[in-house]
Amino acid sequence: GFIKMDRVIEINNGNISELIVSDNNVISTKTTDVILLSDMNIKKVVITNNSITSGRSGIFITGGNIADISISDNIIQNVQRTGILIDTSDTSLNIYNNTINNASREETGYSAIDLYNVRYASIHSNKVSDSYGQTKYGVCEDSGCDYNSIYSNRIKNMNSGFVYIQGAHSTEKNND
């Protein structure tokens, strides 16, 4: 069944060895981020096989010291801003096999997958679409990003383009 609630998880300023968030079906009833991790010290984060409908952002990870992040096999749809937003450095980040439909649903100018201060990430095999054409990019590198590999994503109907790369050493290929 579905969980109707504000957030599935919110953790701020904590120390955790491993965090796994999986197999949740959520329809957010508020304008907040559905999965929010902020200023955490975690060795490993796995966010997989969740279905998220509505909310401000589907998955939002910011600050802290997280050694390894894996975000895979999630369905995120009709969020107000960003499907997946990551703002953390010095981490091993893999975002793959996610489906993101209609990000930036209520506030135009946001991207489906948005990265800040991310280095050496692998973003691949995601399916991103927007039937309203309001989402800015399928994958967007913002300030502080470099050395990321963005490849083999299926991206359709973005407002500004499929992928935006800011880092001088980041690469993108086979995104269509």
Side-chain angles (χ1 to χ4, degrees), residues 139-164:
V139 181
C140 181
E141 279 190 334
D142 282 302
S143 61
C145 290
D146 205 1
Y147 298 97
N148 297 309
S149 178
I150 302 166
Y151 62 95
S152 299
N153 296 288
R154 297 187 67 192
I155 303 170
K156 295 187 180 348
N157 205 27
M158 300 294 108
N159 188 312
S160 297
F162 292 160
V163 176
Y164 176 78

Side-chain angles (χ1 to χ4, degrees), residues 92-111:
S92 170
L93 172 64
N94 291 291
I95 300 175
Y96 61 96
N97 291 339
N98 297 287
T99 300
I100 302 173
N101 297 314
N102 302 327
S104 199
R105 181 66 188 103
E106 293 184 23
E107 298 180 41
T108 60
Y110 289 91
S111 296

Side-chain angles (χ1 to χ4, degrees), residues 27-67:
I27 299 174
S28 179
T29 59
K30 301 280 183 175
T31 57
T32 55
D33 306 306
V34 177
I35 297 173
L36 173 64
L37 304 178
S38 175
D39 298 319
M40 299 293 303
N41 292 312
I42 304 175
K43 290 182 182 174
K44 184 174 186 176
V45 173
V46 177
I47 301 174
T48 187
N49 202 35
N50 297 287
S51 177
I52 297 170
T53 302
S54 194
R56 182 171 49 201
S57 293
I59 298 169
F60 185 8
I61 299 174
T62 182
N65 180 14
I66 302 173

Side-chain angles (χ1 to χ4, degrees), residues 8-20:
V8 171
I9 187 167
E10 176 181 2
I11 302 176
N12 296 297
N13 302 314
N15 294 301
I16 297 173
S17 172
E18 185 171 335
L19 175 65
I20 299 172

Side-chain angles (χ1 to χ4, degrees), residues 71 74-79 81-84 95-105 110-114 123-140 150-164 174-176:
I71 300 172
N74 298 288
I75 298 171
I76 301 169
Q77 55 192 357
N78 298 321
V79 292
R81 293 184 180 174
T82 302
I84 299 171
I95 300 175
Y96 61 96
N97 291 339
N98 297 287
T99 300
I100 302 173
N101 297 314
N102 302 327
S104 199
R105 181 66 188 103
Y110 289 91
S111 296
I113 300 172
D114 214 346
I123 315 299
H124 67 91
S125 306
N126 297 288
K127 295 176 186 171
V128 178
S129 66
D130 186 342
S131 56
Y132 304 97
Q134 295 182 167
T135 305
K136 190 171 183 178
Y137 294 102
V139 181
C140 181
I150 302 166
Y151 62 95
S152 299
N153 296 288
R154 297 187 67 192
I155 303 170
K156 295 187 180 348
N157 205 27
M158 300 294 108
N159 188 312
S160 297
F162 292 160
V163 176
Y164 176 78
N174 300 328
N175 297 293
D176 61 0

